[in-house]
Structures are given as C-alpha cells and as structure tokens.
Amino acid sequence: MKKLCLLGLVATLASHPVWAETKPAALKDKDAFVSDLLRQMTLDEKIGQLRLISIGPEMPRELIRKEIAAGRIGGTFNSITRPENRPMQDAAMQSRLKIPMFFAYDVIHGHRTIFPISLALASSWDMDAIGRSGRIAAQEAAADSLDITFAPMVDISRDPRWGRTSEGFGEDTYLTSRIAGVMVKAFQGTSPANADSLMASVKHFALYGAVEGGRDYNVVDMSPVKMYQDYLPPYHAAIKAGAGSVMVALNSINGVPATANTWLMNDLLRKDWGFKGLAVSDHGAIFELIKHGVAKDGREAAKLAIKAGIDMSMNDSLYAKELPGLLKSGEIEQSDIDNAVREVLAAKYDMGLFKDPYLRIGKAEDDPVDTYAESRLHRSDARDIARRSLVLLKNQNDTLPLKKSATIALVGPLAKAPIDMMGSWAAAGKPEQSVTLLDGMNAVIGEKGKIIYARGANITNDKAVVDYLNFLNFDAPEVVDDARPAQEMIDEAVKAAKDADVVVAAVGESRGMSHESSSRTDLNIPQSQRDLIKALKATGKPLVLVLMNGRPLSIVDENKQADAILETWFAGTEGGHAIADVLFGDYNPSGKLPITFPRSVGQIPTYYNHLSVGRPFTPGKPGNYTSQYFDDTTGPLFPFGYGLSYTRFSLSDMALSSTTLNKTGKLDASVTVKNTGKVDGETVVQLYIQDVAGSMIRPVKELKNFQKIMLKAGEERTLHFTITEEDLKFYNTQLKFAAEPGEFNVQIGLDSQDVQQQSFELL
Ligand code: BGC
C-alpha cells in the first residue's frame, strides 16, 4: 500500500513536492529533519550522498540516472539545463528515500551573460556593480536549474605567474574580503532557499593563490601570521556573509594537503570560525593525496579526507570504494560518515530542495524554448559593469577619447576574438553572443568615421603554446591561427596604420593563458605581438593599446611605445561595447588596479603592502646596501590602486579630527577631492594605515577603506572616513588579534603610492 502511494507521488512529481507532502511538520526543524532522515538511511545511501559527480561525455546519462535511482550519487556538476537535470531529479525521486539531488556549476563571473573576469570586477572597486553581476549570475543559473556555484574564488594572489590570478580579486586582503562578502550575498540573495538564489561555495580553502613560484597545484609554505593576516580573511569574510559551502584547495599547507588537513578543516574552519556548512573537495583531490605523498593508497586517502571533514568527494573515485571497508575495519567511525552526510542533507535543506526538489528545475512546459535565447541575457547590465572595470593606465596628450569621425586602424589578434572576450571560466556563455572590440567600435562609429581592421599578428608564433592552449579546451579550438606569414600580417597592419589617424591595437593574452593550469614563466606580451607593436610605433601614428589579459603583464616597453593604454582584462559578453564606450568617451574610465603591475617577472612579488625592512630602498636616493635590484628601476610599473580618468582629480586639506584615539573612540579622517578637469568622472579615494612601530614588523601600509565617488567637472567634496581600533588590529606572534598603542600613519590617495599623510597615536 505504502509503495503504491509513493509511486503515485512520483508520477505527479513536478506539481507535488515530495517532502512538503509527506513531512510538512518535520520540515520546520532542520536538525530534527536531517537526523530523522539520517536514521532511515543505509550505509550505501549515506555514502551515495557524499559523491559529487561530473557530468561529461564519458558519463552516459542513462547510467547516471540508474546510479541516482539507486541512491549512489548526491549531486552533479557541469550539467546545466533544466531538460538535462530534470530526468536526474526524477531518478532521485525514484530512489528509496527520495533525497533530492543538487546541481552545481562554476558560475564565477556570470552564467549565460558573462561579466568581466573577477580580477576585472575587482578593478571597478564598485560594490554595487560587483553585487549586481553576482545577483544576475545567480538568477540566470537558478533559472537553468542550478542550485550551487563553486564561487566566489577569493584566493589572494601575489604572483601573477599563476594563471588563476584571473579568477580572483587581486592581491589585497581588505578589497578581496569586501568583495567576498558582497559576492556571497549576491549569489545567495536573502536565502539560498530562494528559487532565484544559488548557494555559494567559497574557494579554494585555503591559500591556493600562494602556490610556490605561481606553479598551479604546487605547495604553500607560509608563516601562521601571514596566513591569518593576509590570506585567510577573505574566506572568513565569505563565511561570515553566510556562504553555505566551502571548496577545499588542491594545494598543501605547510606540509599537509588541505584535503587531509585536520587543523584547517576542523580546528580553524569549524571550531574557530564556527562554519556549519558543506565542505566539498576539489576535483579528484582525495585521490591526489597519494601523489602528495601523505597516503599510501586510495584507502588511506579516503580515510584521511573523511577524517579531516571533507564531506563531499568531487569526481569521486574513492569514497564509494573505500568507506565501507574502512568502517568495517574500524579505521573510521560511523560518526565520520554521519557527520559528512548530515552536512550534505543540511545543505540540500538550505537550498530549499526538500521543500521542493524541482524548485529551480520547474515544469517542463515552462522550459525556455531556446536556452541560448538573446532574451535570456542581461546585456545592459553587462555593458555597464564592464565599463566600470576598465583601467586607463596611460593617456599621454589626451590621446583618448578618440574622435568618432576619425579613421582608425584597429589591429591585433584580440580585436576580433569572441572567445577571449569572455575570459576563462565563462560558464554557459556563448562566444557567438559576445561583442568583440571590432563590433563595439563599429557600432559607435557608424557612418561618422572609418575603421580599417587588420589582424596584425597571431597571439603567439610559438606552436607549442598554441597546442597547449587548444588542448585545454575540449569543445572548440581556443586559438585559431591565421596561416599567413607573420611579416605579411604586420605589413597589412602597418598599411592600415598609415592610412589612419590613430591606431588601436588589441593585444595581450588569449584567455587560456590566464586559466587553471596556465602558469607562465614570463609576463611579457608574446613576441609576435611585440613585433607588431614595434612596427606600428614606427609609423609615427598615435598608438592606443587595448590590453586583454587575466593577470598583470610586464609592459615596460609597451608603456614607452604607446600613447595611451587601456587595461580591459577580459570584459565579458558586452566587452566590445563597453571598451568602445570608453575609447570614444561615452564613459569616463574609473577603474583602479586591484593588483600591482611589475616591471618584470624577476621583481615578483611586488604587492604594495609588503613588510617594512631594515634597509628600505629610498626613491631618489640611489645607494648600495638597500633592498632593491640593482639592474632595474625599483618599484612597480603601475602600483596597486592606480588608474586614470579623462578628467583630473586633486586631493587637498587632509585632516584628522584628533592626534589621538582611545581604544573605544573614533577618529575622523577627511580630505577634499576636486574634479579639476573638464568632464564629469568617478574616482576611488583610498585610505591606507601604517602601524609605525609594533611588537612585530608591520606592512608599510594597508588598505583599510575606500570610497568611489562621482564628481561633476569643477565639483569638490570633502570625504570622511571613520577610523576605530578595529582598523588597527593585527595578528601578533601569538596569533592574538589586537591593536597596540602607539603611532599610526594615515594615508589618503588616489592610488597606493601617491598619498597624503597624517599621523595619530592610539592610546
Ligand atoms: C577547479 C575548481 C573547480 C572544479 C570544478 C577544478 O579543477 O580547481 O576551481 O570548481 O574544477 O569545475
């Protein structure tokens, strides 16, 4: 009889959510509900919940459905449409306990509408815009039946050789932490249980951005103080903002892989930070414990991971195989498994899936007729957000904005590159829907002026690199070379330049060069493009470089050659329109670098907030025996926080409300900002603090606050920042987070170097 009823329920699944019908009362109390369910589960069903399976060509869908119906899979990733996921949820509803599946995906900077890459979003310093991008991404992804995203990625990266620098928000702890909170709230909305929300799985916990030498998947060896002070706060900020999940990093930390790290996962994450959500391993990370050299075989790997508190095994090959035996032999306890299962069930509860397993899948009759329909995109937001993320690095003689009536030579391998415009981790974005720079400029210029397009160069002439990049992408060739000889392409571009008033060269990296597994030994623009730039420079025509890249590049030569440089990163679906808006002056650029641009790869690391040293290099006072390289100019090419505008801003009258601060008091730091130019514009006023003498060495300065403000031409405004003891706290040698009385310098500037300073004393 019972069986019959259940079958009846299955038949009317879409309209009758199973859990709501059967257990409405129990559903009110999450803990009781989860415990009750757990009690009914067999060991196999429990272990099934711990498996997160990637849906790809190698996984026949029919087999997956069988596995799901048998209760052997807890969730999938990379399956991203309602028609694809519905049959899997149907299969789950046929399983004995009808525990719903969840569907995950890497929604990093957009889902169908692709927003600028994360590093670019950070360049906007615009929390509203960043939040908007996350909210729209969540809405689009939820509408495609997704429940959870492996984002935000908040790994601090201070080594731009690391390809995943593109995926994070830069080098600064404060800025990244602010964005981490904003992104989690944007993805999850008012609740991850909402139909238009995704649960956020913050990653990669922890310290992945500090891999040795910028080599992906490498080791991290770091002092506890540096960890606590600089690298851990962004993950903590995401958790404080309510992130329901954490993805554990692939790297080791001081000798113990994160995936087997009980200090990281239990002591820090769960006990100290009070995290109560789901911990997911990264792809195949449990198996990799063998290669790391901490597990002798798969059995030991599974044991270490479950003991460390890795709830779900991504792309699982070991939990299903090894956990039953480990339990039987007493090497792990039932509670190890139960605790993990509890987190998975609780996460599904929090996603609203027990109330309605079809919450985001909806009814078949409501499925979008065309998944890729233009109407599903959020183009105007994408354009607006992309414009805010562009950083003007140079603008000699006001070369920009361009005249719409000009004849413009548009050259470079990235001028017409729809795939690259999307950047890496472009989720469900379609290259056909992204606006190239050529499209964008043509749309502005119309009949008024003229664009002469010439490719000018391939991304690189190094065939091995092209092969590598194409190997990274399984769907389509990432990099398609123009078969013509390099010189022929350059000649064509030079001819275009000679026939034009001004040259715009779109140069940099293909998106695959700034990606997972794309570490570089040098930060130059590839030689093929450097040859092109040199030839263009030789024409004597004004030269504008539009950079596309996912990491800081060393562009000392290009900075000399170019009259103007606009850093556009990978600007997303509407990139071409957004860049054209800036090039032609329809939008005044306001982005600021979230990461330092070194002069050369040899200077790394170049982050601005380095610790004080005993023999500091003093600009303008060349001398031996100071901390510097003797064979190059000391200091970065472009500092953290730097970015120009088509107008000019001046700062004056910096003042502190007092020369002392009580531990419970407040200090007001103020400055007058004036737009001294002829056009309206936005800028980011940044506040840095230096602890002059502490119980241990402190950074030369640290970003503690900022305000992005719009000023009309000629307008001036006094800005106020509040400083409290909280802003002065740091982790001391005992890892105690406290402020120490003494002198502090406060600096306010439009970047991290060009600042005004006042001092006060903390009493
Ligand atoms: C990456 C993660 C990602 C996962 C799933 C891994 O290779 O390191 O960042 O979330 O794949 O796509």
Side-chain angles (χ1 to χ4, degrees):
M1 179 63 194
K2 194 172 172 213
K3 200 171 170 199
L4 269 180
C5 284
L6 287 178
L7 282 175
L9 258 183
V10 170
T12 52
L13 281 171
S15 48
H16 297 283
V18 175
W19 292 101
E21 295 241 332
T22 54
K23 307 210 171 215
L27 260 179
K28 287 207 180 98
D29 180 339
K30 175 170 137 186
D31 289 344
F33 175 82
V34 167
S35 299
D36 183 47
L37 188 50
L38 197 62
R39 259 194 302 279
Q40 299 173 50
M41 294 172 81
T42 64
L43 179 63
D44 278 358
E45 283 165 342
K46 287 179 180 174
I47 293 173
Q49 286 303 307
L50 308 185
R51 306 185 68 223
L52 179 56
I53 300 301
S54 170
I55 303 292
E58 71 291 352
M59 276 284 173
R61 296 213 170 234
E62 207 176 315
L63 176 69
I64 291 272
R65 284 199 295 273
K66 271 196 189 143
E67 290 288 291
I68 294 170
R72 284 198 282 264
I73 296 179
T76 72
F77 61 114
N78 292 339
S79 173
I80 58 162
T81 64
R82 291 160 54 139
E84 283 172 313
N85 289 338
R86 185 175 295 107
M88 290 198 269
Q89 198 66 301
D90 289 348
M93 292 304 113
Q94 284 156 23
S95 67
R96 194 179 72 92
L97 289 170
K98 306 187 188 333
I99 298 174
M101 296 276 294
F102 71 65
F103 302 100
Y105 197 36
D106 291 279
V107 178
I108 310 288
H109 55 105
H111 176 63
R112 297 215 169 268
T113 309
I114 300 305
F115 296 101
I117 58 166
S118 302
L119 194 60
L121 289 173
S123 305
S124 74
W125 296 54
D126 184 329
M127 298 302 126
D128 293 338
I130 294 171
R132 195 156 28 111
S133 78
R135 189 84 282 274
I136 293 169
Q139 285 163 345
E140 289 185 359
D144 271 351
S145 73
L146 296 167
D147 304 302
I148 176 168
T149 173
F150 302 134
M153 188 282 217
V154 300
D155 305 325
I156 295 291
S157 61
R158 294 176 172 180
D159 190 333
R161 288 174 295 183
W162 192 48
R164 304 193 81 167
T165 300
S166 59
E167 259 180 85
F169 300 106
E171 74 184 28
D172 185 60
T173 311
Y174 175 80
L175 182 60
T176 303
S177 299
R178 287 271 304 261
I179 298 173
V182 166
M183 268 307 204
V184 168
K185 294 207 163 108
F187 285 137
Q188 297 194 164
T190 53
S191 161
N194 294 346
D196 68 350
S197 287
L198 300 179
M199 179 173 278
S201 186
V202 58
K203 70 186 183 188
H204 303 84
F205 189 66
L207 322 181
Y208 186 21
V211 282
E212 202 167 273
R215 281 193 293 281
D216 214 351
Y217 318 121
N218 219 279
V219 301
V220 174
D221 211 317
M222 189 184 283
S223 76
V225 166
K226 190 172 194 169
M227 242 185 239
Y228 276 80
Q229 190 63 36
D230 297 347
Y231 282 78
L232 291 173
Y235 309 105
H236 199 185
I239 286 162
K240 283 191 264 189
S245 171
V246 160
M247 183 190 290
V248 184
L250 292 164
N251 53 279
S252 59
I253 297 173
N254 295 348
V256 183
T259 308
N261 201 315
T262 49
W263 164 76
L264 181 76
M265 300 304 300
N266 288 329
D267 300 344
L268 180 69
L269 179 67
R270 299 221 183 250
K271 288 196 193 123
D272 291 358
W273 291 0
F275 177 67
K276 293 207 167 43
L278 174 69
V280 180
S281 83
D282 201 345
H283 203 284
I286 301 177
F287 189 79
E288 288 169 20
L289 294 177
I290 305 172
K291 287 266 167 70
H292 276 290
V294 297
K296 65 175 184 299
D297 53 22
R299 185 180 170 98
E300 193 175 9
K303 176 180 154 184
L304 288 173
I306 194 93
K307 282 275 179 201
I310 309 296
D311 302 323
M312 262 191 136
S313 165
M314 185 189 289
N315 202 29
D316 179 61
S317 61
L318 290 177
Y319 270 11
K321 191 165 160 228
E322 305 292 356
L323 292 184
L326 286 166
L327 185 64
K328 206 164 168 208
S329 68
E331 286 167 88
I332 64 170
E333 287 154 41
Q334 185 64 50
S335 60
D336 294 323
I337 294 178
D338 286 359
N339 288 343
V341 178
R342 197 179 286 281
E343 299 304 353
V344 177
L345 299 179
K348 290 180 175 180
Y349 183 101
D350 291 341
M351 292 172 198
L353 292 172
F354 284 110
K355 264 201 186 134
D356 181 2
Y358 295 85
L359 179 67
R360 298 182 185 87
I361 293 173
K363 296 182 186 149
E365 58 264 36
D366 298 332
D367 286 356
V369 180
D370 174 9
T371 307
Y372 307 110
E374 264 297 314
S375 59
R376 305 190 77 208
L377 301 183
H378 291 80
R379 285 194 179 275
S380 68
D381 286 297
R383 182 172 184 160
D384 178 56
I385 293 165
R387 301 194 311 188
R388 293 168 187 275
S389 71
L390 310 181
V391 188
L392 183 63
L393 297 177
K394 180 176 183 185
N395 195 18
Q396 188 174 287
N397 306 326
D398 292 333
T399 305
L400 292 175
L402 303 172
K403 289 198 184 63
K404 292 179 186 170
S405 56
T407 298
I408 300 166
L410 174 60
V411 302
L414 291 158
K416 211 171 136 184
I419 289 192
D420 298 302
M421 195 55 105
M422 298 194 301
S424 68
W425 294 105
K430 283 276 155 206
E432 307 84 86
Q433 290 179 318
S434 64
V435 179
T436 66
L437 181 56
L438 178 60
D439 300 334
M441 290 180 72
N442 269 328
V444 174
I445 218 164
E447 300 295 305
K448 299 182 277 287
K450 187 177 165 195
I451 291 187
I452 315 170
Y453 167 75
R455 182 172 166 91
N458 284 323
I459 283 286
T460 169
N461 291 336
D462 187 334
K463 189 171 173 313
V465 170
V466 173
D467 288 348
Y468 184 78
L469 296 170
N470 282 336
F471 177 75
L472 281 176
N473 192 335
F474 307 99
D475 304 329
E478 277 282 311
V479 181
V480 182
D481 276 345
D482 188 317
R484 286 177 292 166
Q487 193 55 48
E488 190 180 323
M489 281 191 272
I490 290 182
D491 292 345
E492 185 191 37
V494 165
K495 175 159 190 325
K498 285 183 177 156
D499 293 342
D501 304 317
V502 56
V503 185
V504 173
V507 292
E509 301 182 301
S510 72
R511 68 164 186 174
M513 292 170 74
S514 275
H515 187 41
E516 180 177 349
S517 185
S518 291
S519 301
R520 294 185 64 189
T521 61
D522 102 56
L523 298 176
N524 290 330
I525 294 174
Q527 192 58 46
S528 57
Q529 300 179 60
R530 297 179 59 145
D531 294 343
L532 170 66
I533 294 167
K534 193 170 162 209
L536 294 170
K537 171 71 184 166
T539 65
K541 292 292 166 97
L543 176 60
V544 177
L545 296 187
V546 170
L547 294 180
M548 296 188 195
N549 45 289
R551 52 158 67 84
L553 296 175
S554 48
I555 48 168
V556 171
D557 291 344
E558 293 77 5
N559 188 40
K560 287 184 198 136
Q561 292 161 317
D563 298 282
I565 305 178
L566 183 67
E567 175 56 80
T568 70
W569 311 111
F570 296 112
T573 306
E574 279 289 305
H577 284 143
I579 299 168
D581 287 341
V582 168
L583 291 178
F584 290 107
D586 292 329
Y587 181 83
N588 188 356
S590 59
K592 300 275 187 177
L593 295 178
I595 190 163
T596 307
F597 270 47
R599 288 172 189 278
S600 68
V601 78
Q603 276 190 328
I604 297 170
T606 47
Y607 57 94
Y608 79 95
N609 52 346
H610 58 84
L611 297 178
S612 298
V613 297
R615 295 185 181 189
F617 172 78
T618 314
K621 286 191 191 159
N624 292 343
Y625 304 105
T626 63
S627 188
Q628 60 176 313
Y629 296 106
F630 72 82
D631 60 351
D632 197 356
T633 310
T634 299
L637 182 61
F638 299 115
F640 175 83
Y642 174 84
L644 303 171
S645 160
Y646 292 153
T647 188
R648 311 255 184 291
F649 296 97
S650 72
L651 293 186
S652 60
D653 301 331
M654 180 188 169
L656 298 181
S657 57
S658 166
T659 52
T660 57
L661 173 66
N662 290 321
K663 279 193 170 273
T664 52
K666 282 182 182 166
L667 196 72
D668 178 74
S670 58
V671 73
T672 301
V673 194
K674 182 166 186 184
N675 179 345
T676 58
K678 294 195 182 64
V679 289
D680 303 348
E682 276 183 290
T683 191
V684 182
V685 183
Q686 304 155 36
L687 178 124
Y688 297 88
I689 295 184
Q690 180 191 19
D691 187 343
V692 178
S695 60
M696 62 181 301
I697 303 172
R698 309 284 357 273
V700 292
K701 63 182 75 182
E702 291 170 292
L703 182 71
K704 290 291 176 180
N705 208 340
F706 61 85
Q707 291 181 42
K708 188 161 190 177
I709 54 158
M710 162 64 89
L711 291 177
K712 295 207 175 313
E715 188 184 348
E716 75 173 29
R717 199 185 306 163
T718 300
L719 296 185
H720 295 271
F721 296 92
T722 303
I723 299 171
T724 68
E725 194 209 8
E726 207 50 37
D727 301 310
L728 313 178
K729 288 184 176 170
F730 67 98
Y731 289 93
N732 66 18
T733 46
Q734 263 63 57
L735 293 183
K736 193 168 160 242
F737 190 57
E740 295 174 356
E743 191 188 350
F744 290 84
N745 292 330
V746 183
Q747 302 180 341
I748 301 184
L750 298 175
D751 64 53
S752 60
Q753 274 187 356
D754 184 10
V755 292
Q756 313 209 346
Q757 181 172 302
Q758 298 282 335
S759 304
F760 73 91
E761 192 184 344
L762 177 68
L763 300 175

